[in-house]
Amino acid sequence: MKKLLTSNGNKISSRSFDNTGNFSFSIKEHIDIEGVKYDPKIGILALDIAVRLSRPGFNIYVRRQHKATIGKHHKITPDEAKDFVTKEFGVSVS
């Protein structure tokens, strides 16, 4: 994840975050990722990265059997997601 964010310039738009704390961004060329070399057989690929953040215990909301509701304090807000990404990965959110 750190390599993907650094190849994006350590910047994410605040519009990339949704209401449940998930975010996504894109990389125009996969060769911008650190350690990846150009292969003429593959060419150049663009990547779209989607990240889902969840707290422990969130599985009860998405599992197939015995679903249960999640309290509103257990859900991740966009502000909490922005703070987490800034703190853990050193990304600036604009």
Side-chain angles (χ1 to χ4, degrees), residues 1 10 20 25 27 30 32 35 41 46 54 60 71 74-75 91:
M1 182 62 133
N10 279 339
T20 57
F25 60 95
I27 299 173
H30 77 283
D32 291 339
K41 293 179 184 176
S54 63
I60 64 169
H74 193 72
K75 293 180 181 176
V91 175

Side-chain angles (χ1 to χ4, degrees), residues 20-37:
T20 57
N22 304 322
F23 65 95
S24 61
F25 60 95
S26 63
I27 299 173
K28 293 187 180 196
E29 297 179 353
H30 77 283
I31 57 175
D32 291 339
I33 301 170
E34 182 183 336
V36 176
K37 295 183 180 179

Side-chain angles (χ1 to χ4, degrees), residues 5 13 16 37 54:
L5 289 168
S13 172
S16 297
K37 295 183 180 179
S54 63

Side-chain angles (χ1 to χ4, degrees), residues 31-94:
I31 57 175
D32 291 339
I33 301 170
E34 182 183 336
V36 176
K37 295 183 180 179
Y38 177 72
D39 185 8
K41 293 179 184 176
I42 298 174
I44 295 178
L45 301 173
L47 297 174
D48 292 327
I49 296 99
V51 180
R52 178 181 175 205
L53 299 176
S54 63
R55 289 194 169 103
F58 188 77
N59 186 39
I60 64 169
Y61 181 71
V62 295
R63 64 187 176 191
R64 189 169 182 188
Q65 295 179 339
H66 306 293
K67 285 187 178 186
T69 57
I70 300 291
K72 71 177 186 177
H73 296 293
H74 193 72
K75 293 180 181 176
I76 297 177
T77 63
D79 293 330
E80 290 174 335
K82 291 173 189 176
D83 291 340
F84 174 77
V85 172
T86 302
K87 182 181 172 186
E88 291 294 317
F89 300 110
V91 175
S92 64
V93 178
S94 57

